[in-house]
Amino acid sequence: MEEPKISIQKIVDDAIALENAEPRTPSGLYNPSYLGLCYRKHYWKRKGEPQSNPPDARSFRVFKCGHLFEWFVTKEIPAQQQQVMVKTDDFVGYADIVTDDEVMDVKSINSKAFWYMDKETYDISKEKRQNILQVVFYAKVLGKPKARLVFVSKDDLCIREYGFFVSAWEAELDKEIATLKEIWAKDKLPEADPQMKWECGYCPFREKCETIGGKVWEEKKK
């Protein structure tokens, strides 16, 4: 087989790398998309700590795919309802879609994960707890009574939507926020506490965290 004179893969990777080449100034605030996840990761992210495991080329491609699907799904929504900044004294983020009484967050996922939601044993409140806390946070701050997660299958654009009342999640959200505020006020690195089983494998601080150790790593070695 003849070797191609140009590599389309390289062109794509270089273009995405260029988009992410400019360093981003840390906001100095918590990221709502980390709600429901490890407190140590939250703390380091807010501190602007250098990542020991930054995204590789494939990860950047995955992020780009997510942005493209989100753009396609939301492009017919009025511009003023898209990517609305939500900021408090401790958090800053962007809500994907904001209507008169609801905030929606669009998540693209692979088809295997999408159709896994059909299982009778699937519990959205456990499987997507962090996503729920994020969209409920936006809704609460913006004074909306409802929140919705919109999942898009990357293979065929099938869509599943799950709605939540803010009042049903408010107590859990408030507890999470109070814990994060307390951690920041103490200005002391918290114990690693992955709340979702997949967290460590995808954490941008994995090697740094494992090097300094802690209970989570002691348990993993058992």
Side-chain angles (χ1 to χ4, degrees):
M1 181 181 296
E2 182 183 358
E3 289 294 323
K5 293 181 180 180
I6 61 171
S7 169
I8 301 300
Q9 181 71 80
K10 186 177 186 307
I11 291 174
V12 169
D13 286 345
D14 288 349
I16 295 175
L18 186 61
E19 290 179 358
N20 292 278
E22 188 173 340
R24 296 181 181 179
T25 303
S27 67
L29 300 173
Y30 283 127
N31 187 335
S33 66
Y34 278 24
L35 284 167
L37 299 179
C38 179
Y39 296 132
R40 181 175 286 181
K41 179 163 62 176
H42 259 296
Y43 182 81
W44 272 336
K45 180 70 165 58
R46 184 171 183 177
K47 280 284 186 180
E49 187 76 12
Q51 298 179 355
S52 59
N53 303 81
D56 57 13
R58 181 185 180 280
S59 296
F60 278 128
R61 291 198 298 270
V62 171
F63 299 154
K64 184 65 174 180
C65 284
H67 293 153
L68 290 172
F69 274 90
E70 178 183 315
W71 167 81
F72 184 81
V73 170
T74 62
K75 68 185 179 72
E76 300 303 328
I77 304 294
Q80 65 270 24
Q81 295 180 339
Q82 297 180 31
Q83 293 299 303
V84 176
M85 177 184 277
V86 182
K87 189 174 183 180
T88 69
D89 291 340
D90 293 282
F91 292 85
V92 63
Y94 291 85
D96 287 341
I97 302 171
V98 179
T99 66
D100 290 341
D101 65 346
E102 188 176 24
V103 173
M104 288 171 264
D105 205 29
V106 181
K107 304 289 185 185
S108 62
I109 56 178
N110 64 58
S111 60
K112 183 177 180 180
F114 186 88
W115 296 110
Y116 179 76
M117 293 177 175
D118 280 342
K119 287 192 173 184
E120 292 183 4
T121 56
Y122 188 82
D123 185 347
I124 187 74
S125 64
K126 292 181 179 179
E127 298 281 353
K128 299 297 181 183
R129 176 176 177 267
Q130 81 281 9
N131 297 146
I132 297 172
L133 289 175
Q134 178 188 3
V135 71
V136 168
F137 169 83
Y138 291 143
K140 179 177 179 179
V141 174
L142 294 173
K144 310 298 182 182
K146 296 183 292 184
R148 193 192 319 178
L149 288 176
V150 181
F151 292 100
V152 185
S153 169
K154 292 180 182 179
D155 284 356
D156 50 20
L157 279 178
C158 283
I159 292 176
R160 276 194 173 81
E161 304 178 54
Y162 298 87
F164 311 90
F165 284 104
V166 172
S167 57
W169 283 84
E170 194 165 15
E172 189 167 347
L173 175 64
D174 288 347
K175 182 180 178 180
E176 188 83 0
I177 291 173
T179 299
L180 288 166
K181 285 184 175 181
E182 182 180 356
I183 288 170
W184 192 251
K186 289 180 179 179
D187 196 18
K188 181 180 178 182
L189 182 68
E191 179 64 64
D193 182 26
Q195 299 181 52
M196 306 296 285
K197 61 183 180 181
W198 47 262
E199 280 190 70
C200 291
Y202 292 91
C203 182
F205 304 107
R206 178 183 172 86
E207 290 179 11
K208 183 190 299 288
C209 185
E210 188 172 6
T211 298
I212 65 174
K215 292 180 181 178
V216 66
W217 300 108
E218 292 171 4
E219 291 173 358
K220 286 180 179 292
K221 290 176 182 178
K222 290 180 181 178

